[in-house]
Amino acid sequence: MARFAANLTLLFNELPILDRFAAARRAGFQGVEILFPYDLAAGELRQAARKSGMDVVLINCPPPNWAGGPRGFAAVPSLQDRFRRDFERALRVAEALSARHIHIMSGKGEGPAARDCMIANLKWATARAPHASLTIEPINQHDMPGYFMCDYDLAAEVLDAVDAPNLGLQFDAYHAHMITGDVLGTWQAHGHRVHHIQIAGAPGRHEPREGDIDFAAFFHAVDNSGYQGWVSAEYSPRTTTEAGLRWMAADIAAE
């Protein structure tokens, strides 16, 4: 049975961030992820998570300028020092929050130089933090033009080259649909590499069960694969978060 986590960057954002933990718990979530928790006091976030009994499942690395700044540096050859500094900061925050995963963002790039840079940075990061679970995520170029890690075969190639047990694939059903048009086929090809799942309807990135993705079939495939990790709701609610949560009640009842 899936363990659902709420992305508190996107969900319950009608509430102050520290109140979102308890709201997510009341709604039936068991964990949370926060994309960029770096402008918040880690101690306050940790206290809110513990008070509500919520695991912190994932944070992103690096801490970018959310309002239009670069989305990562792992594949940018001229910014390896920046990558390492930001990874150290992300690691400190993840440890303070007992976060399960750190998603490493590639940033913009293309070609062999970007690929080699990302592999080198990931080898360094996995060796620097062998106790941490690190992920990479293909993100579609419609939403993030120029983003280097934009293809599942490329992700598999990078994962094989790094060959570290603490590095895995982050599988976002929305991005899988936008990149391949075939969420089930992409899961069947790459599900064995997955350390973390995120879900949203496509197109539009609203509630699951909307749009073109057959989530009933997807969840069935995930369950049959033996996946034991988290499934994070990372979508933009059409109205309020509470009003759109019927999808989760239906999935839990179907188990």
Side-chain angles (χ1 to χ4, degrees), residues 52-126:
S52 59
M54 300 292 264
D55 291 326
V56 178
V57 177
L58 177 139
I59 67 172
N60 280 354
C61 170
N65 177 350
W66 178 250
R71 298 301 174 88
F73 307 100
V76 184
S78 62
L79 294 175
Q80 284 186 302
D81 289 342
R82 172 70 185 272
F83 169 80
R84 294 188 179 196
R85 290 197 304 272
D86 283 347
F87 181 80
E88 293 286 358
R89 185 181 177 194
L91 189 60
R92 290 194 298 272
V93 172
E95 290 173 344
L97 299 178
S98 299
R100 177 72 181 89
H101 303 295
I102 302 173
H103 167 214
I104 295 179
M105 302 189 75
S106 72
K108 292 184 176 181
E110 60 181 354
R115 174 190 175 278
D116 292 347
C117 177
M118 188 160 190
I119 290 169
N121 279 330
L122 291 173
K123 285 183 174 181
W124 174 85
T126 53

Side-chain angles (χ1 to χ4, degrees), residues 15 19 76 83 115 143 147 149:
L15 299 172
D19 294 338
V76 184
F83 169 80
R115 174 190 175 278
D143 288 357
Y147 193 75
M149 184 48 61

Side-chain angles (χ1 to χ4, degrees), residues 144-229:
M144 205 171 291
Y147 193 75
F148 174 70
M149 184 48 61
C150 62
D151 180 83
Y152 283 88
D153 290 337
L154 173 62
E157 182 182 325
V158 168
L159 290 171
D160 286 347
V162 177
D163 192 24
N166 59 327
L167 178 66
L169 184 66
Q170 186 166 313
F171 188 97
D172 187 311
Y174 166 79
H175 288 299
H177 175 80
M178 296 295 288
I179 293 168
T180 72
D182 182 7
V183 173
L184 282 179
T186 306
W187 174 264
Q188 289 164 0
H190 299 286
H192 64 287
R193 304 176 184 274
V194 171
H195 286 192
H196 184 59
I197 294 173
Q198 294 170 325
I199 55 173
R205 203 175 183 91
H206 297 302
E207 283 79 356
R209 299 296 191 191
E210 286 192 17
D212 299 333
I213 300 173
D214 184 345
F215 275 103
F218 175 63
F219 284 136
H220 183 70
V222 170
D223 287 342
N224 284 345
S225 74
Y227 175 78
Q228 297 294 313

